[in-house]
Amino acid sequence: MAAGDAAAVQECIDQYGGLVYTLARRMCPAGAEVDDAVQEVFIELWRKAERYDPGIAEEAVFVAMVTRRRLIDLQRRLARHSGQEELPESLDSAGEGAEAAVELRDSAAVAERAFRELRPEQQKILRLAVWDGLSHQRISAVTGLPLGTVKTHARRGLHRLRELLQTSQSPASGGAS
Amino acid sequence: MSDRIHGRDRLVELYGDRAVFGLDPEQERELARLQGGDQTGSWNEAEELEQAAAAIAMLFASRQIQPLPSELCARLEGGARAYFVAHTESARPHRSTPVGVAPTLAPAPPIESPTLGSRRLESVRPASRWPLAALAAAASVAAIVGWWPRPVETPAPQVAVTPAPAELRSKLLGEAGTLFVAAQGTDFAKGASGDVVWQPLAQSGWMRLVGLPVNDPKVEQYQLWIFDEAQKHPVDGGVFNVSANGELLVPIDAKLRVEKPTLFAITIEKPGGVVVSDRERIAWVAKPI
């Protein structure tokens, strides 16, 4: 058993190291070391591993959630806030059609299916906020949508996505494949 | 009644905004106030909304995954070893069992509230294809540390170094840039010796302690300090016990990044260690040349 657990630790690093590293490079605030942030995230994962429930969330989603939490904490600690945001390279759905990394393919496919069911404006705003890290004010300026509309799309989109992911996660759906 | 419903709606709204945009201080205060009066268990929704936002992040990240640099990979492995070794003692069920070489490091951080909703874990059997689920399935952290030092269950007159830490130390020694520093005891540990192996890239290392007196953890504990040229104060390298005579290997658990170590020193401190040492009882030192 011990050998299996040791292997699991190694597999965690192998399987999710790229995801954590990619998110850290994307979200790490100026003044913070990406490597240190990645190390912090993995220590957090070791801490929380025993409380991970595969019946509730895809493993990659759980890893991404822990990663985002730590990086958002880091951003707060370093007090990098609005006014320093950079625009994404493109407002189109960047990377659309790109293949997900092999180790994340199943989880990404589940998320992709759910995300694609959202209305286009919801997809766009959630992507700008979550992936590109823009504030709602900035999204309003970039898209020309009123501030309230931006928030409404984001909230409704997120709630809908939650429902869709729960459906895909329920036993009746057969779970991730 | 309608106020309560309105309050709950606003609470869930704030959970969503937090998951997507983050909250400003005023919204944080509003959230705290609403949470204080909430009897509906809506925190579960907060978790689920956070997961939904995380799924978006995972989806876009998966399209442009950047591989983990090998140096960082090595550092993560070293960090995992140090973490699980450090949590051996707190997870071990039989504290009175004679312990051979396994050192005891600082206690585990407090357990936080469940992070993935209110449903419990027992009902779900994780699939072995998911490594995190495999870890979750372990009976305890103690099972994992079988990977590293394992306590000797029967009293042994000679304490031998178990292969796992010895191999890890040897591996570290073979890596480029690894520092090796001889050590010696002071008046508080006459005759003690040993060495330090420190890998700057991995930020991990080992102390080999020879002849350091056994301590009573209820009275005092050993604490490692790493003096760093780049820092004003020494870095806490972890609290540990010497529970048997002879030689033992202790992983170094630096709490901060160490740029250029100028001295490794072990002090004797009160149980649990200290944040700042008065350095009155230095027992063992290793000074890089």
Side-chain angles (χ1 to χ4, degrees), chain B residues 95-173:
Chain B
R95 281 178 176 271
S96 59
T97 303
V99 173
V101 298
T104 59
L105 299 186
I111 299 297
E112 297 164 27
S113 58
T115 58
L116 275 177
S118 58
R119 282 166 279 183
R120 295 303 306 147
L121 310 184
E122 294 84 25
S123 60
V124 181
R125 187 69 193 163
S128 59
R129 60 190 280 230
W130 305 119
L132 202 61
L135 278 181
S140 73
V141 174
I144 296 162
V145 291
W147 189 14
W148 293 298
R150 181 176 289 278
V152 178
E153 296 297 338
T154 53
Q158 289 287 325
V159 178
V161 175
T162 51
E167 283 171 14
L168 293 169
R169 178 177 171 276
S170 295
K171 188 180 171 191
L172 214 57
L173 266 171

Side-chain angles (χ1 to χ4, degrees), chain A residues 58-172:
Chain A
E58 283 279 333
E59 196 164 284
V61 170
F62 176 75
V63 172
M65 184 175 76
V66 170
T67 305
R68 285 188 83 230
R69 274 187 189 167
R70 297 303 290 183
L71 292 168
I72 289 168
D73 282 349
L74 195 58
Q75 287 172 350
R76 284 184 181 151
R77 289 207 298 269
L78 295 178
R80 190 197 77 157
H81 286 301
S82 58
Q84 297 181 24
E85 298 161 324
E86 291 178 4
L87 282 178
E89 310 80 28
S90 162
L91 289 182
D92 297 332
S93 191
E96 189 169 9
E99 281 287 313
V102 172
E103 63 271 21
L104 297 175
R105 201 161 45 203
D106 292 345
S107 303
V110 171
E112 176 98 46
R113 276 197 297 274
F115 192 71
R116 290 287 165 219
E117 287 200 36
L118 303 183
R119 293 169 58 182
E121 59 271 26
Q122 292 172 343
Q123 289 183 34
K124 185 174 187 176
I125 285 167
L126 285 173
R127 183 228 155 190
L128 286 170
V130 175
W131 180 239
D132 296 309
L134 300 193
S135 65
H136 52 272
Q137 294 96 334
R138 196 81 177 108
I139 294 173
S140 173
V142 165
T143 59
L145 292 169
L147 205 59
T149 307
V150 169
K151 283 192 170 185
T152 301
H153 283 323
R155 287 169 184 159
R156 288 181 182 166
L158 192 69
H159 281 268
R160 177 71 182 133
L161 186 62
R162 179 186 67 158
E163 291 168 7
L164 292 164
L165 289 172
Q166 282 179 333
T167 305
S168 69
Q169 198 66 24
S170 68

Side-chain angles (χ1 to χ4, degrees), chain A residues 6 10 22 25 36 39 48-50 56 59 62 68-69 76 100-101 106 112 127 155 159 166, chain B residues 13 17 19 28 47-48 50 60 62-63 66 75-77 112 116 121 129-130 132-133 136 141 147:
Chain A
Q10 190 64 57
T22 303
R25 288 192 59 163
D36 292 344
Q39 175 91 319
K48 293 186 184 300
E50 283 186 275
I56 294 177
E59 196 164 284
F62 176 75
R68 285 188 83 230
R69 274 187 189 167
R76 284 184 181 151
D106 292 345
E112 176 98 46
R127 183 228 155 190
R155 287 169 184 159
H159 281 268
Q166 282 179 333
Chain B
E13 204 170 73
D17 287 353
E28 291 279 10
E47 295 280 344
E48 290 166 0
E50 199 181 352
F60 284 99
S62 71
R63 295 172 176 175
Q66 297 161 59
R75 187 174 156 194
L76 294 179
E77 289 165 9
E112 297 164 27
L116 275 177
L121 310 184
R129 60 190 280 230
W130 305 119
L132 202 61
V141 174
W147 189 14

